[in-house]
Amino acid sequence: MSVDANLLDRIRGRLAELGGAATPAMVADALRSEGRLVGDSAVLEVLDALRRDTIGAGPLDELLHRDGVTDVLVNGPGEVYVDAGRGLELTAVRFPDDAAVRRLAQRLASTAGRRLDDASPCVDVRLAGGTRFHAVLAPVARPGTCLSLRVPARTVMTVEDLVSAGSMTPAAAELLLAMVAARIAFAVSGGTGSGKTTLLAALLSHVAPRERIVIVEDASELRPAHPHVVSLEARQPNIEGAGEIPLRQLVREALRMRPDRLVVGEVRGAEVVDLLAALNTGHEGGCGTVHANAAADVPARFEALGGAAGLGREAVHAQLSAALHAIVHLRRSSAGVRRLVEVAVLERQRDGLVFAETAVSFAPDQAARAGPGAARLESLLESRSR
């Protein structure tokens, strides 16, 4: 039997009146009171539907546990998409109405101690299993309540895996690993879903085992295969508006934890000031990710973030030129393929402003082409590998 949403609501109401956990006998009695034929399969199906609606992510559970799924997106009750590495794909999963989506969103938010209602219609939290959950209630969101769930990687992809997947060539992988070994400070840039976190985790897995990696993130996603990793995760305020621990504070805390490598999962706010300061005070080999359309846009991105945090333009560029050496840029094609497209070095002009100069670029067929910054990158590798 297919469990009708209205029937399920009525059974749920009857069970709530009785109190306690639902048992097969209680469900059978509730079905009889609805004039339904009662068999073992019917009772088990209703119990399973009730479980999905009260535990986990409800009807999204099966999608979240599919191999390769990185994102599950709900656009109101009638559209549920997944991304399993081939771009967004519409699924057959549907909700009976927007109230069901809203109920699921509020339950997931409450498990993380967050409020989600008409007075506070947006939430962004990490769930117990590590999944990042974002929700916007209708009518703020259209065509209905919207949910976004980012699934953490179940296994850390290796550099070899990325080569096999066509994200880069063996020669490109060798270059990136040489940068890591030489303790070159770099940022991985790209758009949403371009594979920045995946690549950074793979590269951090090749940091020497004797080094201590301290990772600071807004939501814990970086999980490199390394024997000495400490992760700090920011915390949003609770329902009463207390208890917030911002990323900027965690960057400062990380500096007191004797990091050999300081990693900021995503640079997107005032923490850029403390990160640049840290990388200018002896913390070599630091890295992180940043959203940008191209490597050439990264200096402007840092300038904007630093300006919003109260750091002047000249100060940002002065800090940036000494703190960061290179940009590793990724792009995701319309077909969903994530590729390394460029490695650039940062150069400072006479006016003091920093710009990104291409050292090597990679065509869609992965053919490498040396750029004007190639000599600078080679010099960095040689001088820092001694």
Side-chain angles (χ1 to χ4, degrees):
M1 119 182 173
S2 177
V3 184
D4 176 73
N6 292 326
L7 171 64
L8 198 61
D9 277 340
R10 292 196 297 272
I11 292 176
R12 188 185 296 109
R14 290 179 182 276
L15 296 177
E17 292 174 0
L18 296 174
T23 65
M26 293 167 65
V27 171
D29 288 341
L31 284 170
R32 290 191 194 96
S33 68
E34 291 287 334
R36 300 297 180 110
L37 294 175
V38 179
D40 289 344
S41 61
V43 172
L44 291 175
E45 190 168 355
V46 171
L47 274 172
D48 189 51
L50 290 171
R51 183 201 65 79
R52 290 197 309 268
D53 202 36
T54 55
I55 301 174
L60 304 180
D61 255 349
E62 186 270 330
L63 301 179
L64 292 171
H65 288 89
R66 280 188 191 175
D67 288 340
V69 168
T70 59
D71 296 88
V72 176
L73 307 175
V74 179
N75 301 343
E79 295 180 5
V80 179
Y81 292 85
V82 297
D83 186 347
R86 300 177 296 273
L88 293 177
E89 301 172 278
L90 185 64
T91 72
V93 176
R94 299 290 184 272
F95 288 82
D97 50 35
D98 194 69
V101 185
R102 183 187 181 102
R103 187 164 57 243
L104 173 61
Q106 290 176 320
R107 179 168 59 76
L108 292 177
S110 68
T111 63
R114 295 297 304 282
R115 168 184 173 184
L116 185 63
D117 53 29
D118 290 335
S120 181
C122 306
V123 72
D124 184 18
V125 297
R126 185 172 69 87
L127 303 179
T131 297
R132 185 166 182 174
F133 170 65
H134 181 269
V136 183
L137 298 181
V140 176
R142 291 183 297 173
T145 296
C146 290
L147 314 183
S148 305
L149 294 103
R150 170 64 63 87
V151 184
R154 295 179 179 88
T155 58
V156 178
M157 288 192 74
T158 65
V159 172
E160 292 75 17
D161 291 335
L162 294 175
V163 171
S164 299
S167 295
M168 67 181 83
T169 64
E174 186 178 345
L175 170 62
L176 297 183
L177 292 178
M179 290 168 56
V180 172
R183 300 180 64 84
I184 287 178
F186 65 93
V188 181
S189 63
T192 301
S194 59
K196 299 184 297 296
T197 300
T198 300
L199 175 61
L200 186 55
L203 294 178
L204 289 173
S205 299
H206 286 267
V207 169
R210 66 180 179 277
E211 294 187 37
R212 173 179 169 92
I213 302 173
V214 180
I215 300 174
V216 177
E217 294 181 275
D218 192 44
S220 182
E221 292 180 294
L222 276 171
R223 298 174 185 180
H226 189 277
H228 199 158
V229 177
V230 175
S231 295
L232 304 179
E233 184 179 24
R235 187 172 69 192
Q236 295 184 353
N238 59 19
I239 295 175
E240 289 77 27
E244 180 182 17
I245 303 177
L247 208 60
R248 185 171 188 178
Q249 178 183 341
L250 291 182
V251 172
R252 293 195 294 266
E253 298 298 334
L255 295 177
R256 301 184 179 98
M257 299 173 69
R258 198 239 176 246
D260 290 303
R261 306 267 184 157
L262 174 63
V263 180
V264 176
E266 183 182 336
V267 183
R268 63 177 183 177
E271 68 278 357
V272 69
V273 175
D274 300 280
L275 175 64
L276 291 176
L279 297 182
N280 273 295
T281 53
H283 293 85
E284 296 183 333
C287 51
T289 74
V290 61
H291 278 80
N293 293 325
D297 296 334
V298 171
R301 177 74 172 144
F302 272 86
E303 181 182 319
L305 294 174
L311 202 61
R313 186 186 191 195
E314 294 79 8
V316 171
H317 283 265
Q319 294 262 45
L320 185 59
S321 67
L324 211 61
H325 302 117
I327 307 296
V328 176
H329 189 71
L330 304 176
R331 185 171 297 147
R332 180 175 178 168
S333 71
S334 57
V337 179
R338 301 170 175 90
R339 288 193 310 106
L340 172 67
V341 295
E342 183 181 0
V343 176
V345 291
L346 295 181
E347 295 281 6
R348 194 174 187 185
Q349 304 173 115
R350 285 188 173 183
D351 60 5
L353 299 184
V354 172
F355 71 101
E357 188 171 52
T358 302
V360 57
S361 59
F362 302 92
D365 63 357
Q366 295 193 333
R369 179 180 301 170
R376 167 66 174 155
L377 180 58
E378 185 177 350
S379 174
L380 279 169
L381 289 171
E382 288 180 356
S383 64
R384 301 178 68 83
S385 299
R386 294 169 184 165

